[in-house]
Amino acid sequence: MTRTDPPPATTAEDPGSSVVAKLSTLDRFLAVWILIAMAVGLGLGRLVPGMNDALAAVEIGGISLPIALGLLIMMYPVLAKVRYDKLDAVTGDKRLMISSLVINWVVGPAVMFALAWIFLPDLPEYRTGLIIVGLARCIAMVIIWNDLACGDREAGAVLVALNSVFQVLAFGLLGWFYLDLLPGWLGLGDGSRLDISMWEIALNVVIFLGIPLIAGFLTRRIGEQRMGRESYEAKVLPKIGPWALYGLLFTIVVLFALQGKTITSQPLDVARIALPLLVYFAVMWFGSFALGKAIGLPYARSATLAFTAAGNNFELAIAVAIATFGVTSGQALSGVVGPLIEVPVLIGLVYVSLAWRNRFAPPVPAAGPEGKLS
């Protein structure tokens, strides 16, 4: 993105107004561009004959190539901004690391499981799809939300990498627990089983995180060696930054074009799936943001904690649902509705986050790693 990291406000001005004013024109009207991209995608999927089938056919190993392309373009510029020499300061923050692990892999799946059963007790297919969404922790789009909210880029990179490792190791186990074992223990009837291998999850992680992470790291490393850090940040980053937005909008158009007909033809089902998702995003984001402030994290890391907790890996969730239950299944529809709700809600929370920035004490310059990096 092309945002400018603003200094902490020191006056009684409208909270967040100075922050938003310092965003680039592209970033400031991102909500508008996203809504337009969603509408274009839905329109293409609904009005152009065979559009969704043509897009769905362009895949390898169950991974949509157009979506993969969009995500790679989206993540690369942000990961090229990360100060990789500062990552050790993040990994040493035990409050952040432990909080993120607990929220993402204990609290998040449990909250989604509870909400799915509360809101959809009579719709087992949609309920199972929502639980799968809750198990797929975010490793891609959260990079964008965190950067727009002036979160800690280095902390975001570390937490995303941490989620990726746990996703490979824990996704299948948690799927068995929440879809098969726990419903039986609670007397909720027969559960469902996920038919996905650790290799498939690992491949998802490698493509959607590994490739852009390596590309971003090499770009930064080579750029700083040849140009120096100041010149690299002044000349290279402004040129590649806007491509994160272009990749995001392209991904949204493709994603909604793929499922435009399904979404628009079942509005009542979409509404029922959307309600627990809205509650989930609110609970996870506000709860994590408040926790960050309560345990003494600075604003940048509290925002990062909140967005990594609230976001989900929709690509993995959709892929698992389709591979296990079929492309026309209710489980797949729940996965598709996920980003339909997540995208506008989390972009709205970016503005909420910026507005609350003044509630945090300014970072102490001597703290170094705790402050926001330029």
Side-chain angles (χ1 to χ4, degrees), residues 59-102:
E59 63 176 40
I60 297 178
I63 295 175
S64 168
L65 293 184
I67 291 179
L69 176 63
L71 289 175
L72 294 178
I73 294 174
M74 176 186 75
M75 295 178 65
Y76 163 69
V78 180
L79 290 171
K81 294 179 182 180
V82 171
R83 287 280 301 276
Y84 293 94
D85 58 319
K86 298 289 186 180
L87 295 185
D88 58 339
V90 178
T91 57
D93 190 340
K94 294 182 180 179
R95 296 171 301 172
L96 176 67
M97 301 293 285
I98 294 174
S99 297
S100 179
L101 282 176
V102 172

Side-chain angles (χ1 to χ4, degrees), residues 233-259:
E233 294 183 346
K235 297 179 180 180
V236 176
L237 294 185
K239 292 181 180 179
I240 66 175
W243 283 93
L245 173 57
Y246 305 150
L248 172 64
L249 297 178
F250 175 79
T251 302
I252 292 172
V253 170
V254 173
L255 182 66
F256 284 83
L258 275 167
Q259 300 292 339

Side-chain angles (χ1 to χ4, degrees), residues 273-354:
I273 297 170
L275 187 55
L277 282 169
L278 286 171
V279 176
Y280 172 81
F281 293 133
V283 169
M284 294 300 295
W285 192 90
F286 285 103
S288 300
F289 194 90
L291 175 63
K293 191 173 191 304
I295 63 177
L297 294 178
Y299 166 80
R301 292 191 176 176
S302 293
T304 300
L305 181 66
F307 282 103
T308 52
N312 292 90
N313 185 354
F314 62 83
E315 176 66 16
L316 176 60
I318 294 172
V320 170
I322 291 175
T324 305
F325 303 102
V327 69
T328 59
S329 65
Q331 291 88 342
L333 179 60
S334 290
V336 171
V337 175
L340 174 69
I341 306 303
E342 178 178 333
V343 170
V345 168
L346 290 191
I347 189 59
L349 289 173
V350 166
Y351 290 96
V352 173
S353 185
L354 292 173

Side-chain angles (χ1 to χ4, degrees), residues 58-304:
V58 188
E59 63 176 40
I60 297 178
I63 295 175
S64 168
L65 293 184
I67 291 179
L69 176 63
L71 289 175
L72 294 178
I73 294 174
M74 176 186 75
M75 295 178 65
Y76 163 69
V78 180
L79 290 171
K81 294 179 182 180
V82 171
R83 287 280 301 276
Y84 293 94
D85 58 319
K86 298 289 186 180
L87 295 185
D88 58 339
V90 178
T91 57
D93 190 340
K94 294 182 180 179
R95 296 171 301 172
L96 176 67
M97 301 293 285
I98 294 174
S99 297
S100 179
L101 282 176
V102 172
I103 291 172
N104 273 286
W105 296 101
V106 178
V107 177
V111 169
M112 187 67 90
F113 175 85
L115 292 174
W117 276 97
I118 290 171
F119 286 93
L120 302 170
D122 57 329
L123 297 171
E125 290 190 359
Y126 296 157
R127 184 176 65 237
T128 297
L130 281 184
I131 293 173
I132 294 173
V133 170
L135 298 177
R137 312 313 299 170
C138 195
I139 66 169
M141 212 169 275
V142 68
I143 295 284
I144 296 294
W145 311 137
N146 179 61
D147 202 54
L148 285 171
C150 298
D152 189 317
R153 290 186 186 125
E154 288 66 43
V158 169
L159 295 186
V160 164
L162 192 64
N163 274 344
S164 300
V165 173
F166 271 79
Q167 197 151 110
V168 174
L169 300 175
F171 186 91
L173 179 62
L174 288 176
W176 166 74
F177 178 77
Y178 281 106
L179 294 175
D180 187 22
L181 186 62
L182 188 57
W185 281 357
L186 299 178
L188 298 174
D190 296 332
S192 302
R193 294 179 181 273
L194 292 183
D195 182 20
I196 186 168
S197 68
M198 185 178 292
W199 161 248
E200 291 175 287
I201 300 172
L203 180 62
N204 184 279
V205 169
V206 167
I207 291 176
F208 296 119
L209 177 63
I211 293 176
L213 182 61
I214 292 173
F217 172 79
L218 291 177
T219 300
R220 177 119 207 173
R221 183 70 176 270
I222 295 171
E224 287 188 358
Q225 287 178 344
R226 293 183 176 181
M227 306 172 60
R229 177 169 298 157
E230 291 186 3
S231 181
Y232 169 80
E233 294 183 346
K235 297 179 180 180
V236 176
L237 294 185
K239 292 181 180 179
I240 66 175
W243 283 93
L245 173 57
Y246 305 150
L248 172 64
L249 297 178
F250 175 79
T251 302
I252 292 172
V253 170
V254 173
L255 182 66
F256 284 83
L258 275 167
Q259 300 292 339
K261 187 174 182 179
T262 302
I263 291 172
T264 55
S265 64
Q266 302 180 52
L268 294 181
D269 289 351
V270 169
R272 288 205 60 181
I273 297 170
L275 187 55
L277 282 169
L278 286 171
V279 176
Y280 172 81
F281 293 133
V283 169
M284 294 300 295
W285 192 90
F286 285 103
S288 300
F289 194 90
L291 175 63
K293 191 173 191 304
I295 63 177
L297 294 178
Y299 166 80
R301 292 191 176 176
S302 293
T304 300

